[in-house]
Amino acid sequence: MTLKIIKLNVNGNEYEVAVKPYERLIDVIRDKMGLTGTKRGCDYGGCGACTVLVDGKAVCSCMVIAPWAEGKHITTIEGLVKDGKLHPLQEAFIERGAIQCGYCTPGMILTAKALLDENPSPTEEQVRKYISGNLCRCTGYVKIVEAILAAAEKLSSKTA
Amino acid sequence: MSVVKFRPKEYIRAKAVEEVISLLGKHGQKMRILAGGTEIHELAGRGMIPETEVLVDIQDLGLSGIKDESDGLKIGALTTIRSVRDFDLFKSGAYTALHDACDFTPMQIINLATIGGNLSSGLPLFCLPPAVMALDGAVKAVGPEGERVIPSDEFYVDYFLTALQPNEFVTEIQIPKAEASTGSAFKALKLLSVDYPAASVAVRVTIDKKGNCKNVRIALGSMGRIPFRAKKAEKALEGKQAKDDVVRKVCDELFKEVSPSSDIRSSAEYKREVAKVLLRTVLTKAIERAQGGTS
């Protein structure tokens, strides 16, 4: 077994880590970088709990072989906090009660961030389609969708 | 999913096509090419690729992107399904079947998965193979003897088995330019938005000056061991006006022509019935698009 030294850029920080050839990004993020906000769910791309952003796009970190991500910019839920302040999406999830057990929340918020970065004013239908790869077994999605739409409004009024 | 061991010993990020060919020659079945990487864990979890010792990542070979050239559209094998979906030319008219087949969720998958990986996997449940078949697409593969182009209609051999030789891999998908007044459409029936389809149908049709249908292609997914064209149903429409009785006959031909097996998603009887309904829907849509009625 050859361990490979790779450099990964996560939340703007460069990490140098030794990985096995089959090691998945989720394991490196959680176990080697200690960024446990990224959650492990189904392990094959079916639930979205492990969603991170790679070059701004939502991907399942359980499906990414860690060395594949070398040279790309990875954002985890920890990377959304700026100067100790939560991201408007995180605030909206709290304010709207869009969280119950919280396990799907990091992935849900990152998918929502990718959506709002591409489309700052989505319709409810667009939100529902975009987050359909993120399963939530508690909320029934109503408050999650409301929170994303509220954050969209807040973000666009900020930039306007 | 962690019961079966998947423990490749080496990861290589290839720098050139020739390097991949030589690695394929050296490692054979012990090597897997990593494109988007979305299927490998599912196969591994099911214990289907325990022999894998070497992973070869081909993201640095410049194989992604779509070119609109005079002799057709060339889609690099590493182009993500998301990029194909978002390519403007595919959003209306002749090539829409391709857009529709790529317009599925989860986003987390289509952001990673590639058209080349999807086509060369050989899983008959995927949406892209019937769409590419309906558009008369072809697969360009490269191996030790050079390049060859395989019509998509001849690309699938059996479950998870394609016409690729063990030391070949796919570098490009080619879609010929469509004639004027051509439309296409694709539709899949899914029980859950993020599941594989229980049945899928892709259609392309050109309407000639007399209002008759020509260049008819009907291709199906999730209906057998491989994706395939329903050539009897195609023939039932070729040269005819798409009136109600003709469409009914085409759908009846399809019903006779397909013999799917039951699986966890639906029974064989249900699939045959649904394929008829899907065909009627996509046929109507493709004809509307050929006539320039809707996008």
Side-chain angles (χ1 to χ4, degrees):
Chain A
M1 176 80 57
T2 337
L3 277 181
K4 201 175 164 64
I5 309 280
I6 59 166
K7 281 185 188 150
L8 290 176
N9 185 306
V10 180
N11 303 328
N13 302 313
E14 287 282 343
Y15 292 81
E16 203 171 69
V17 281
V19 298
K20 300 181 191 97
Y22 52 82
E23 208 158 331
R24 305 181 193 201
L25 186 58
I26 183 173
D27 296 317
V28 176
I29 287 172
R30 285 181 57 86
D31 302 341
K32 297 202 164 138
M33 299 172 184
L35 299 170
T36 52
T38 303
K39 303 303 179 202
R40 176 188 296 285
C42 68
D43 251 1
Y44 64 98
C47 76
C50 68
T51 300
V52 299
L53 304 184
V54 174
D55 291 339
K57 291 206 158 66
V59 309
C60 290
S61 60
C62 75
M63 306 203 90
V64 171
I65 302 270
W68 176 90
E70 201 168 16
K72 299 181 170 63
H73 287 90
I74 300 155
T75 306
T76 69
I77 192 70
E78 290 87 349
L80 293 199
V81 177
K82 289 276 175 293
D83 305 323
K85 265 201 81 176
L86 294 178
H87 187 277
L89 269 163
Q90 292 170 303
E91 281 172 353
F93 268 61
I94 296 167
E95 283 161 12
R96 301 268 163 165
I99 302 166
Q100 284 188 28
C101 86
Y103 203 79
C104 74
T105 310
M108 197 69 87
I109 287 178
L110 285 166
T111 305
K113 180 171 190 306
L115 166 66
L116 298 188
D117 288 345
E118 284 165 24
N119 176 3
S121 317
T123 63
E124 181 182 336
E125 199 189 332
Q126 287 168 331
V127 171
R128 285 185 177 274
K129 183 174 175 187
Y130 210 97
I131 63 166
S132 64
N134 291 78
L135 301 189
C136 170
R137 299 285 87 144
C138 307
T139 66
Y141 303 99
V142 173
K143 292 186 174 182
I144 291 174
V145 175
E146 279 175 14
I148 295 170
L149 290 169
E153 207 161 300
K154 200 168 171 187
L155 279 163
S156 50
S157 68
K158 246 189 209 171
T159 52
Chain B
M1 295 292 267
S2 54
V3 188
V4 185
K5 287 215 165 143
F6 172 65
R7 296 286 181 262
K9 296 186 181 76
E10 206 178 347
Y11 163 94
I12 299 166
R13 208 189 255 214
K15 294 283 170 247
V17 169
E18 297 71 33
E19 184 188 353
V20 181
I21 298 166
S22 108
L23 285 165
L24 279 167
K26 187 174 162 197
H27 299 291
Q29 296 294 310
K30 290 184 176 163
M31 161 179 161
R32 302 286 304 184
I33 291 178
L34 199 63
T38 53
E39 201 189 24
I40 202 158
H41 300 296
E42 195 169 345
L43 297 179
R46 289 171 199 269
M48 292 169 77
I49 47 170
E51 72 285 359
T52 307
E53 287 182 3
V54 182
L55 290 175
V56 176
D57 184 337
I58 58 170
Q59 66 176 305
D60 292 339
L61 305 189
L63 294 177
S64 83
I66 305 173
K67 284 180 277 184
D68 183 359
E69 293 179 353
S70 57
D71 59 338
L73 292 138
K74 314 282 169 66
I75 308 174
L78 265 270
T79 311
T80 63
I81 291 177
R82 172 79 188 272
S83 304
V84 178
R85 189 198 78 170
D86 292 347
F87 192 65
D88 280 340
L89 186 64
F90 299 152
K91 288 183 182 167
S92 62
Y95 309 103
T96 326
L98 200 54
H99 168 85
D100 293 353
C102 291
D103 192 17
F104 63 89
T105 53
M107 295 304 293
Q108 290 93 325
I109 302 292
I110 67 170
N111 282 338
L112 286 172
T114 65
I115 185 166
N118 189 287
L119 289 189
S120 43
S121 141
L123 185 64
L125 305 172
F126 283 155
C127 298
L128 267 79
V132 171
M133 278 183 187
L135 299 180
D136 271 341
V139 170
K140 187 162 99 180
V142 64
E145 266 92 66
E147 291 178 345
R148 67 180 178 124
V149 175
I150 310 159
S152 56
D153 187 26
E154 295 164 19
F155 189 63
Y156 295 98
V157 178
D158 203 345
Y159 203 75
F160 278 120
L161 188 66
T162 66
L164 286 177
Q165 294 300 309
N167 48 9
E168 284 181 319
F169 74 105
V170 174
T171 53
E172 188 177 272
I173 315 304
Q174 302 180 342
I175 306 286
K177 282 281 169 81
E179 277 186 42
S181 302
T182 297
S184 73
F186 168 90
K187 196 165 174 58
L189 177 86
K190 293 181 171 185
L191 310 181
L192 293 169
S193 68
V194 294
D195 193 12
Y196 292 125
S200 68
V201 180
V203 163
R204 182 199 67 189
V205 61
T206 304
I207 308 289
D208 70 13
K209 283 183 182 138
K210 291 178 188 154
N212 294 329
C213 298
K214 62 172 190 172
N215 299 331
V216 180
R217 294 287 179 275
I218 298 171
L220 297 111
S222 299
M223 296 292 284
R225 296 183 66 83
I226 54 171
F228 60 93
R229 269 173 59 192
K231 293 188 180 172
K232 286 180 189 156
E234 289 175 0
K235 221 172 154 192
L237 185 62
E238 192 73 36
K240 299 194 181 69
Q241 298 226 342
K243 290 184 176 154
D244 282 353
D245 57 325
V246 177
V247 170
R248 204 172 307 123
K249 186 159 186 296
V250 175
C251 294
D252 287 343
E253 281 299 331
L254 182 79
F255 188 76
K256 279 189 264 171
E257 198 171 350
V258 298
S259 51
S261 18
S262 300
D263 60 28
I264 55 162
R265 289 175 185 81
S266 49
S267 68
E269 293 81 358
Y270 180 74
K271 284 186 180 211
R272 281 176 92 194
E273 207 55 56
V274 154
K276 256 171 75 167
V277 178
L278 288 177
L279 176 59
R280 199 177 309 133
T281 312
V282 287
L283 204 50
T284 311
K285 213 166 206 175
I287 289 167
E288 272 175 22
R289 285 170 175 160
Q291 291 164 338
T294 66
S295 60

